[in-house]
Amino acid sequence: MNDVGGSYTVCHDVAVPPSYALVGIQTNAGCNHGTSYTVAPASPGMRICNLSQTVGGAPYQMPFPDGYIVQTIQEVQPQQSQCGGATAIYIIQPVAEGTTACSGTQIPTGWSYTASSPSPGSCGTFERIELHQSVAGMRICSQSPYPNGFVVGAVESMAACGLQERYVLQPTSDGVKACGPTHVPAGYVITNTNQSGQCGSYQTLTLRAAYDGVVVCPASPIPDRYVIQSAVPYNGCENFTTANQLKYIP
């Protein structure tokens, strides 16, 4: 087991601080299902169990520490495992500009990945990704997360992401043009769709901050406190001849 200060042992249903990581799994008849978990404050280079909330998955998940990523996956023999016989151990590091991590790792809020490539040995069967803080104009891999304050402003095909497309991030604003795969930010609606070169094979969407009486395309999300008041003739939504007029409910 990791020799780390501040560690303690809990059953799976006990809340653990978000800055802690799972460093040991052992048999314990005093816990439901006969297993207990040792947790400790996260630190650079710590070896943690893959039951954590990251690549893989498990019936009972412990928190993955905020601000950290899985940099390496290490294979160990079952008899040498600190994690109840599990043979994959994760080595974590604090996220930093340009750092690389194993794909599937938890990615801290405000960060995206811009490249993905095979990683023989260091990440097991997972690819290695390159992390950067999300900013306007950044080109990210299509499977990367991005913050709520951005939309996909363009779609490109780039070798840096393997078989993935690359998305160009653009800040959210009233009237912004976004591509079909984008997340529509909370409180925004789709008021126009068409085909344009910036989005490749995807539709280009016009996003507006919702207001009482706004006319939205059939595929638009309906924000909280809005309802569809009526269907109206409308030629601004590709492949449709009608759209929905919304009413705000105070």
Side-chain angles (χ1 to χ4, degrees):
M1 184 179 301
N2 288 22
D3 183 13
V4 289
S7 64
Y8 62 94
T9 299
V10 296
C11 298
H12 80 269
D13 53 354
V14 175
V16 175
S19 59
Y20 277 59
L22 175 63
V23 297
I25 303 173
Q26 49 276 324
T27 301
N28 187 332
C31 290
N32 290 335
H33 307 287
T35 303
S36 62
Y37 307 101
T38 300
V39 296
S43 62
M46 177 178 277
R47 300 167 77 246
I48 70 171
C49 302
N50 66 2
L51 193 63
S52 302
Q53 276 181 337
T54 179
V55 282
Y60 304 108
Q61 294 186 329
M62 306 299 285
F64 187 83
D66 291 343
Y68 280 80
I69 50 87
V70 175
Q71 191 168 68
T72 306
I73 299 177
Q74 183 181 66
E75 295 293 329
V76 298
Q77 295 299 316
Q79 62 271 22
Q80 298 173 326
S81 174
Q82 68 206 37
C83 299
T87 57
I89 304 297
Y90 298 156
I91 299 175
I92 61 173
Q93 295 289 349
V95 67
E97 187 67 23
T99 193
T100 62
C102 298
S103 63
T105 185
Q106 179 170 295
I107 297 176
T109 301
W111 294 77
S112 300
Y113 68 88
T114 60
S116 176
S117 61
S119 60
S122 63
C123 287
T125 59
F126 295 95
E127 293 197 329
R128 182 162 290 282
I129 57 177
E130 181 179 322
L131 296 168
H132 296 271
Q133 288 187 296
S134 308
V135 296
M138 177 182 284
R139 287 161 168 78
I140 68 171
C141 298
S142 61
Q143 295 180 14
S144 171
Y146 55 91
N148 291 332
F150 292 92
V151 296
V152 175
V155 176
E156 302 175 342
S157 177
M158 298 291 287
C161 291
L163 297 178
Q164 300 181 50
E165 296 169 313
R166 288 229 290 192
Y167 294 162
V168 182
L169 295 184
Q170 184 169 339
T172 301
S173 62
D174 191 20
V176 68
K177 304 293 186 182
C179 298
T182 196
H183 304 310
V184 178
Y188 278 73
V189 293
I190 303 170
T191 61
N192 182 276
T193 64
N194 59 64
Q195 294 287 340
S196 73
Q198 72 187 58
C199 292
S201 62
Y202 300 102
Q203 286 185 323
T204 298
L205 318 176
T206 300
L207 305 183
R208 296 291 310 274
Y211 57 88
D212 189 40
V214 66
V215 175
V216 306
C217 295
S220 175
I222 308 299
D224 289 344
R225 307 196 70 82
Y226 283 85
V227 296
I228 297 174
Q229 185 176 40
S230 60
V232 297
Y234 191 65
N235 62 3
C237 303
E238 190 175 43
N239 301 323
F240 292 92
T241 57
T242 62
N244 298 319
Q245 187 168 36
L246 303 187
K247 179 176 179 60
Y248 177 70
I249 306 299

